[in-house]
Amino acid sequence: MRPAATLCPDVRIVPEHIARNPIARAMAKAAMTSAVRDFVTRIYMMRDGEDAAADGTASARVLAIGIRLTEQRGQQHGAACRVMRGGMESIVGLAQRRWKWRSADARAIDVALHHALDAVRTARAHELNAAWHFVQQLEQQAAQPHQPTEGPTP
């Protein structure tokens, strides 16, 4: 068995037989809650202008998974999804500023991450797996260089 891979503050990919074990799931949820609490504390302590690339990308991944989980449940118009999308907009702004932190974004990201945590906590193993794979595909598409389309040039 290979070790679990940590992907971001609160999402761990483990072998399926472990994911189906209720004790292992309870332990993972407790660890997830602790990791998000520590992570959110860190974003309140960051100084304006500090490089937040690692924190921003991890937050974006967590929020993308949370948003996808709500979409899978048909709750994309609900308050939790709107809050997570608002947090994602803050992270997009962070990326546009070349990952220079702005403390004014901490509250939006904090609340959004807690909604994402709630979505992950209540997700079944297959729902989380589907959401993770969807987000992973988005990341792979974003990482691919854009190929020019063939066609007539003006």
Side-chain angles (χ1 to χ4, degrees), residues 50-117:
E50 186 175 338
D51 179 58
D55 296 313
T57 55
S59 296
R61 184 176 292 127
V62 172
L63 290 176
I65 290 170
I67 290 167
R68 184 60 182 170
L69 285 168
T70 59
E71 289 172 347
Q72 288 173 178
R73 296 172 184 161
Q75 300 169 346
Q76 62 269 25
H77 301 295
C81 193
R82 287 194 310 267
V83 169
M84 287 186 283
R85 285 189 177 133
M88 186 66 85
E89 287 178 20
S90 294
I91 294 170
V92 168
L94 178 63
Q96 291 170 341
R97 290 189 308 274
R98 298 180 190 237
W99 304 106
K100 300 298 178 207
W101 180 249
R102 187 177 72 175
S103 58
D105 292 333
R107 180 73 177 143
I109 294 171
D110 172 2
V111 174
L113 284 171
H114 279 89
H115 280 288
L117 177 61

Side-chain angles (χ1 to χ4, degrees), residues 25-35 37:
R25 284 198 325 251
M27 290 173 55
K29 287 179 183 181
M32 177 185 350
T33 301
S34 176
R37 189 179 325 115

Side-chain angles (χ1 to χ4, degrees), residues 112-135:
L113 284 171
H114 279 89
H115 280 288
L117 177 61
D118 289 342
V120 169
R121 274 192 212 146
T122 59
R124 296 182 182 272
H126 72 277
E127 292 173 323
L128 186 56
N129 189 37
W132 168 245
H133 285 296
F134 178 83
V135 170

